[in-house]
Amino acid sequence: MTRTAEKFLALLEIVNRLRAPDGCPWDQKQTPQTFKQYLVEETHELLEAINDDDPSHICEELGDLLFQVIFLNNLYQEKNLFTLFDVIDSISAKMIRRHPHVFGNQTVESEQELHRQWQSIKSQENARKEQPRHTLGSIPKSLPALRRAQRVADRVAREGFDWPNLSGAVGKAGEEFQELREALSSGNREQIQEELGDLLFALAVVARKADIDGEEALHDATNKFTTRFLSLEKRMLDQGKRFADLTPDALLDAWQRNKTEPQSSPEND
């Protein structure tokens, strides 16, 4: 047995011990519904570690996520619904089945052909399960809204429902922005929300057409704003000022000047 296998089995025993009658009271009371929030949190912590490109942090967060997966599996295994063997066997068979160009004798000439092959195999799987093929059925509704929008736009584009070029998508976003302006003028909150949603979706389509990950782009923009805001806040505190003390024009001027000056790292102060 390899050291990795030994460590994996030891982790399984740790989870079993935590769930045992004489184990941890907190772990004993968990259910799939109560535990799923921690799975989401750990996933986001891993994503943040990857964004920071910190190998030791990534290693730690991967361990946390692995524990979450094993623990969640245990909750179902205790009910004799399935085992970890079933989980591993299922994903192994699926990956081999969906990669005939790797594990079989098929060949693919392009990424587009690879996508078509993947979707064709999924359709065959659904047919065997007697499940009707639904173009958007496999996209989780629980995804972050922007990422889900871009996934939906990408999926329907594979079916031919797409703008012929980027300018068409940009033009549609312009139309949606004008409709939002009109809704804002009306003061109708429901209409404003609907038009704002339409604009955000249209921008997700623009991101897809431009081959940009909209979720990452928004994270980058938020991080940039956060850095600039904290830098400006620190400078104002050093001068004994508050944002509320400035007029809108003075605040905008301070913001513009702060953008052109070297940025410190106030998060680390």
Side-chain angles (χ1 to χ4, degrees):
M1 182 182 299
T2 65
R3 291 183 60 214
T4 299
E6 290 176 353
K7 290 291 185 180
F8 187 76
L9 291 176
L11 180 56
L12 297 183
E13 286 303 315
I14 289 172
V15 173
N16 288 332
R17 182 72 179 84
L18 291 171
R19 288 284 296 173
D22 59 343
C24 172
W26 185 89
D27 291 289
Q28 290 170 349
K29 71 178 184 180
Q30 297 307 311
T31 68
Q33 291 302 316
T34 63
F35 198 71
K36 63 183 182 182
Q37 62 176 314
Y38 305 112
L39 183 65
V40 172
E41 291 172 8
E42 292 296 348
T43 301
H44 283 289
E45 289 180 13
L46 173 58
L47 292 176
E48 189 166 331
I50 292 174
N51 288 336
D52 292 340
D53 197 23
D54 182 342
S56 63
H57 191 195
I58 294 171
C59 179
E60 177 185 354
E61 295 302 338
L62 275 172
D64 289 345
L65 186 57
L66 178 60
F67 175 85
Q68 302 286 319
V69 171
I70 293 174
F71 192 99
L72 188 59
N73 173 84
N74 237 52
L75 297 180
Y76 288 97
Q77 186 167 305
E78 290 169 1
K79 299 178 181 178
N80 296 317
L81 296 174
F82 56 79
T83 68
L84 189 58
F85 173 92
D86 298 322
V87 172
I88 296 173
D89 185 60
S90 174
I91 187 58
S92 297
K94 179 188 291 186
M95 288 301 102
I96 292 173
R97 186 170 61 248
R98 292 189 181 181
H99 292 83
H101 54 289
V102 177
F103 301 104
N105 54 13
Q106 291 191 21
T107 59
V108 289
E109 302 297 333
S110 66
E111 186 174 346
Q112 290 74 19
E113 185 179 348
L114 186 61
H115 282 307
R116 286 194 294 270
Q117 175 183 270
W118 181 274
Q119 291 301 321
S120 175
I121 294 172
K122 286 182 63 176
S123 297
Q124 294 170 21
E125 292 171 352
N126 290 334
R128 285 194 291 269
K129 297 175 186 175
E130 298 184 351
Q131 295 177 349
R133 182 173 181 270
H134 187 328
T135 302
L136 304 177
S138 62
I139 300 177
K141 294 180 181 179
S142 58
L143 280 175
L146 180 55
R147 188 171 298 283
R148 181 185 173 214
Q150 197 162 346
R151 289 280 300 278
V152 166
D154 181 63
R155 187 66 57 81
V156 298
R158 295 181 197 172
E159 301 296 318
F161 192 86
D162 192 16
W163 291 100
N165 49 50
L166 177 59
S167 62
V170 172
K172 180 60 177 177
E175 292 178 15
E176 296 296 352
F177 182 69
Q178 181 56 38
E179 292 179 10
L180 174 61
R181 290 171 64 94
E182 294 170 1
L184 290 168
S185 298
S186 74
N188 185 313
R189 191 175 185 281
E190 290 184 1
Q191 186 180 357
I192 293 170
Q193 179 170 323
E194 179 180 353
E195 297 301 340
L196 179 59
D198 289 346
L199 174 59
L200 292 172
F201 186 85
L203 290 173
V205 174
V206 170
R208 192 201 70 79
K209 292 294 291 183
D211 195 24
I212 298 295
D213 186 321
E215 190 81 12
E216 291 297 322
L218 182 56
H219 273 302
D220 290 344
T222 303
N223 289 339
K224 180 171 65 176
F225 175 86
T226 299
T227 298
R228 289 176 174 174
F229 177 85
L230 293 176
S231 175
L232 178 59
E233 181 181 55
K234 184 176 184 301
R235 292 182 184 186
M236 292 189 65
L237 288 174
D238 291 344
Q239 299 170 12
K241 297 180 180 179
R242 300 179 306 161
F243 288 114
D245 297 331
L246 301 182
T247 65
D249 287 341
L251 187 58
L252 179 60
D253 180 65
W255 178 259
Q256 293 297 336
R257 283 188 285 106
N258 184 69
K259 285 171 59 176
T260 61
E261 296 174 0
Q263 299 294 310
S264 60
S265 299
E267 296 104 320
N268 301 324
D269 289 347

